[in-house]
Amino acid sequence: MVTFNQKEMQAARNIISAGLVKAAESLSFFMNETITLNELDQEDSLSVNTIEIEKKNQSNIHLMITKVIGELKGVCCLIFSEEEADQLRNTALPPEVLNSPEMMAEMSDGIMLEVDNIISASVITQFSNMLKVKIYGGVPELRKVNSTELESYLQEEINNEMYLVSFKTKFKSSHVSFAPEFIWLFDNTFVESIKNYSATLA
């Protein structure tokens, strides 16, 4: 399986960082309050046999999956704990929804998918612009899994010759703070595009 050298890894990290900055701006508009982004904490998941997930031994983990469609193939995964998901819902949804069990049942997953769409689309757009390729995100999918099921999903993708890079970052405002685990799965064509882009950098 293809791997990145340090320069190529940094190039991928810079693209994702720029995308997440744009995501924070879009979330600020969506949630009607200023959302800031902490510095990315890169976790070097360069070994295909090692998957480090912080949310071990948790149930009802919110795994949101957006497939990259177009000239390159990949999968963007956002992983929230149940507590983080509830905090997001409580901040993003109006009181009339929060106080109505029927409306909450109807909208609670939808609001998470919208947050995923904002974050994933921002990063995918950044990759599209920087790598000069036509790619876009598919319809996001939400799965509620435990830690074992989460690791099984990621291992299956790796076995399908996907290359895993994971990041930890934190979005925060005066009312909310959430730190999703951000996992990007590339196929070899995506990796080669990043390598070619890295080669053009000083």
Side-chain angles (χ1 to χ4, degrees), residues 6 31 73 76 94 139 184:
Q6 185 175 358
M31 300 178 75
K73 297 294 186 292
C76 172
V139 176
W184 195 279

Side-chain angles (χ1 to χ4, degrees), residues 74-85:
V75 182
C76 172
C77 298
L78 275 179
I79 304 167
F80 289 85
S81 67
E82 185 174 17
E83 180 182 1
E84 289 169 334

Side-chain angles (χ1 to χ4, degrees), residues 112-140:
M112 295 303 299
L113 288 169
E114 186 58 35
V115 168
D116 172 75
N117 194 48
I118 289 170
I119 296 174
S120 298
S122 297
V123 176
I124 291 169
T125 297
Q126 196 68 22
F127 270 113
S128 179
N129 292 340
M130 299 304 292
L131 302 182
K132 295 180 172 54
V133 291
K134 294 180 180 179
I135 55 174
Y136 61 95
V139 176

Side-chain angles (χ1 to χ4, degrees), residues 112-190:
M112 295 303 299
L113 288 169
E114 186 58 35
V115 168
D116 172 75
N117 194 48
I118 289 170
I119 296 174
S120 298
S122 297
V123 176
I124 291 169
T125 297
Q126 196 68 22
F127 270 113
S128 179
N129 292 340
M130 299 304 292
L131 302 182
K132 295 180 172 54
V133 291
K134 294 180 180 179
I135 55 174
Y136 61 95
V139 176
E141 174 189 359
L142 171 59
R143 299 184 189 180
K144 295 176 183 176
V145 299
N146 59 37
S147 56
T148 300
E149 292 167 332
L150 173 58
E151 290 193 25
S152 295
Y153 167 78
L154 294 174
Q155 188 61 58
E156 180 181 354
E157 290 295 332
I158 289 171
N159 290 340
N160 290 332
E161 297 189 343
M162 299 295 278
Y163 174 85
L164 183 149
V165 179
S166 66
F167 295 87
K168 182 81 171 181
T169 189
K170 179 179 286 187
F171 296 92
K172 61 182 180 179
S173 72
S174 57
H175 297 100
V176 65
S177 175
F178 55 98
E181 292 181 60
F182 185 92
I183 293 179
W184 195 279
L185 295 152
F186 307 96
D187 74 352
N188 282 342
T189 60
F190 218 130

